Each structure stands twice: as C-alpha cells, then as structure tokens.
Amino acid sequence: MGRKKEQEHKTLARWIIDKTNTDHYRAGMLSGWKHPYIDADVMEIVGGRKQLLDQANILENETNAGKMGKFKPDWKDVKTSIKKIDYDVAIIPELCEREQIEDPRERQLRLIARVEKWRRKGQDCAWLCSYYDDLLDLLNRGKEQKELEDETFFVCIDAVAHQKEHIWKRVFSARVLHNSKCFQKNYEDRILSVLKAKSPFYIEEMSDDELLDAHNIHSYAQTLEWKGTLQYIINDEKVIDSSSQIYGTIINTQTMEHARAYALSGCKRIMTIENKANYEDMSYRKDTLYIFCHGFFSPKEVRFLKTICDLVSEECEFYHWGDLDYGGICIFQFIKAQVFPKLLPYKMSQEDFELAVREDAGILLKDDTRNKLIRKNAGLLEPLKEAILKSGLTIEQERLL
C-alpha cells in the first residue's frame, strides 16, 4: 500500500480567514466576535501544537489586531495549550494582507463592480442584462462565483449578444479572442448554458449548433432545400426558376442572404418535412412545395421562407410532417410561430401514432423527455402528446416510410 498523502498545512491566520469566509462575510453582513474552539484537527491543519502556539503568540503580540485586543487566544496551562480563539471579524482584512491574499469581501466587491460594468455595456440587450442581474443577485448574497475571474468570458458573451451578421464560428473566435479555436475549446459550453437559460431564440430540443445559428454564429455552411415550382430573385435582378429541377433545389447561405421568393404559380400546398429520407422520398408535384427543414430553421432560412407567404393564394394549405415525439412537437410549433402561421400537422395525429405503434415502430420514451413532455403545452398536437405519454413510446418519421 502507498503512503497516505500528507495534508497540506495552513497558517493559523489562513485557517481563521477560511473559517470566516462565508456567504454572510462576502455579502458584508458578518460582524462581531467569533470564538472557534481548537481541537486536534485544527492543530493538525496548522502543522502541530508547537506551530499553533507559536503562530497564536505572534498574531497576539505582533499584529494591530492583537495589540488592539481584537485577537485573543484563550491560553491554558501557562500558554502550553489553547482552548479557543476569540477574534473580531474586523481583523480579516489585516490577516489577508499578512497572508498576501485578497480579502474575500473585497474580491466580492471587485466582481460586483466588474459585472456592473459589463451590464452597462450590454444594456441594449435584454437577455444579457437578465443574466447579469442574476449574477449580481448571487454576488450580493455572498455566493462565490470564481469563474467570473476570467474577464475574457465577459468579452465573449458580450460579442455573442451583439453579433448581428452571419459569421463562421472560427472567424468569430479569431476576431473576438484572437485565436480561431479558443471559443470552441474554452468558452462555447459555458456560453451555451447561458443561452439556454436566457436567449429568446432558444427552444427545447434545439441542438447547440442551431442555437448558435440563431445568434448568427455558424459552424457549417447552411443550405435550404426544396422541391417545387418556386421562383426566387437574387439582388432584385436575376429571377431563377427551380421548377425544372424536379429532384430538388439547394441554395447556400449567401444566396439566402441576397434572395427572396418571387413566384409560386399553381401551388396549392406547402409542406415542411423534418427528416431527409422522408423529404427525398417525396416526388415532385407542380401543386406542392416540399421543404426540407432538418430541425429548427436558421434566421436566414426563416427570413427567406416568410417571403413565400405573400405569393400564394388564401386557399393554399400549409403542413408539417415530423417525428412523433417531443422534438417533433417543438419543431412544428417553431415553424408555425416563426414562419407559416397557418401550419397544420401532417400524419402526426393520435390515429397515425397508434397505427405506427401497432406496426411495431415505437421507441421507448426516456424519463427525462417524459417529464418535459408533461410540462409542454402541445397546442394542436395535444392528442399526440397524450398518446405518447399513455403508450410510453415515440415514433421516428423514417420508420413510417
């Protein structure tokens, strides 16, 4: 067996500082006298009886606190043991200076000032201010937030909040952090945690990439795919007719940025389809526009697709076909809220679900997803939600081919 690792010793002053370093002290709400008892554990922490006695004697006789009577060891047996130490909390700054460390209360005040500074800078962004307000509440209550020592994090989250134009993740990292990999390596996970709690664009079941896309930070080239007679115009000059591409049309990010829908003659139905296999399986029809949605549309896709609504007749029907699960419900509601207000579900009814279950297409519903689904207002898909909860199963769209 290996030797037991030796305990790192503290000075008596450091032990008193750590003993006092509580939420109340950091919040500036701790004052008066403290009377910690000295036992064998404390002696071991400071390196033994002799170290304890020597250091207590020095602190009593050589510090301002000791000379002012604010540090009083309760000596016993002619100064050969100490029962307890009486000290005024007001001595902590002096002990910190002696130990050459920052006073925990001063550190808390410094971090509060830092957050307040960044809040003023980001006051035009509501979700960012809400995040800073939460931090200030924690700090003012004395909660330790050691990660806030890294001011580069504030630089990073402020840049995310104010990123208005499309930018590649690596380029964003290089511009803001002067290293193309630093964002992904050191800050992305922490930024995503904040965005999931505060971003107005976040919807449960969004992937991390989709959430960053919503804030204009992209990790891969975006494309929009459809099958149908849609015509689109680039820079209000060049009209392109996609009707001859009966197997599908794909446009990239830059095209979406400079294009808008122009015409959609004869279209009676528009359908968004969540999964690629199902989209590819749909045959070209002159009266139908099939759009592959892959999940949550990016802001540029939303902007482009919204221009379609002005081109079709009042009689045009809008449908979405997706997974019969929690994610599918979320995506349907996103498209209905953000893109096509008249959207209806396609093959996503309670009857469709029960038929798929009878055909053994079900997948077990995970417990954490069940809890989220219970809390979810599914709107038009409420019957589907109840069927999922009752059966304990979900259906992937591809299983219906």
Side-chain angles (χ1 to χ4, degrees), residues 64-77:
N64 289 330
K67 293 174 183 176
M68 294 172 62
K70 293 188 175 184
F71 179 88
K72 301 176 181 178
D74 186 3
W75 297 104
K76 300 295 178 184
D77 303 323

Side-chain angles (χ1 to χ4, degrees), residues 13 32 86-87 106 145 159 185 188 198 257 284 293 306-307 320 337 345 350 359:
D86 302 314
Y87 70 92
E106 290 302 315
Q145 301 291 306
K185 183 178 179 182
E188 182 174 343
K198 295 296 182 180
E257 188 173 345
Y284 174 90
C293 77
K306 280 176 129 179
T307 64
H320 174 74
Q350 178 182 346
E359 294 177 353

Side-chain angles (χ1 to χ4, degrees), residues 220-260:
Y220 56 87
Q222 294 177 332
T223 59
L224 178 61
E225 302 184 39
W226 71 82
K227 295 178 187 177
T229 60
L230 178 65
Q231 295 179 3
Y232 60 98
I233 186 168
I234 298 177
N235 294 329
D236 288 329
E237 298 174 355
K238 178 76 172 176
V239 176
I240 299 173
D241 186 353
S242 68
S243 61
S244 60
Q245 295 179 292
I246 62 173
Y247 301 111
T249 298
I250 302 175
I251 62 173
N252 64 10
T253 304
Q254 285 182 298
T255 303
M256 275 187 274
E257 188 173 345
H258 296 279
R260 60 179 173 84

Side-chain angles (χ1 to χ4, degrees), residues 292-319:
F292 173 51
C293 77
H294 62 71
F296 295 91
F297 287 123
S298 71
K300 282 189 169 54
E301 289 173 307
V302 169
R303 186 198 64 80
F304 180 86
L305 292 172
K306 280 176 129 179
T307 64
I308 291 175
C309 295
D310 297 330
L311 305 177
V312 296
S313 68
E314 285 292 324
E315 292 73 33
C316 183
E317 299 174 325
F318 293 81
Y319 292 99

Side-chain angles (χ1 to χ4, degrees), residues 83-238:
K83 181 180 180 181
K84 61 185 175 67
I85 292 176
D86 302 314
Y87 70 92
D88 189 333
V89 169
I91 74 170
I92 297 301
E94 181 185 350
L95 296 186
C96 288
E97 184 177 355
R98 184 180 183 87
E99 290 292 301
Q100 297 184 318
I101 61 173
E102 188 174 21
D103 177 11
R105 173 58 181 161
E106 290 302 315
R107 180 174 67 245
Q108 203 79 353
L109 291 172
R110 176 172 56 80
L111 293 178
I112 288 171
R114 172 175 290 177
V115 175
E116 288 175 338
K117 176 191 75 174
W118 282 100
R119 192 192 186 286
R120 289 191 296 272
K121 188 175 188 300
Q123 61 186 337
D124 59 334
C125 178
W127 67 261
L128 186 58
C129 285
S130 176
Y131 169 65
Y132 287 149
D133 287 342
D134 287 352
L135 288 182
L136 288 170
D137 177 64
L138 291 170
L139 290 168
N140 282 313
R141 288 192 287 119
K143 303 298 181 183
E144 281 194 298
Q145 301 291 306
K146 293 179 180 178
E147 68 276 10
L148 301 184
E149 292 287 357
D150 181 7
E151 190 157 14
T152 303
F153 167 75
F154 292 94
V155 174
C156 194
I157 197 167
D158 185 78
V160 171
H162 293 96
Q163 184 61 44
K164 303 303 182 186
E165 301 297 330
H166 176 288
I167 193 170
W168 300 114
K169 187 194 298 185
R170 291 286 181 90
V171 177
F172 173 84
S173 183
R175 288 182 182 176
V176 175
L177 305 173
H178 311 294
N179 181 304
S180 65
K181 298 178 182 178
C182 185
F183 175 74
Q184 185 170 3
K185 183 178 179 182
N186 299 321
Y187 296 100
E188 182 174 343
D189 288 346
R190 193 168 156 202
I191 293 290
L192 283 166
S193 294
V194 176
L195 294 180
K196 288 174 182 178
K198 295 296 182 180
S199 171
F201 305 121
Y202 178 63
I203 297 171
E204 283 190 300
E205 297 299 295
M206 259 188 175
S207 69
D208 291 347
D209 283 336
E210 286 169 335
L211 181 52
L212 289 175
D213 285 346
H215 285 270
N216 295 304
I217 299 170
H218 307 283
S219 57
Y220 56 87
Q222 294 177 332
T223 59
L224 178 61
E225 302 184 39
W226 71 82
K227 295 178 187 177
T229 60
L230 178 65
Q231 295 179 3
Y232 60 98
I233 186 168
I234 298 177
N235 294 329
D236 288 329
E237 298 174 355
K238 178 76 172 176

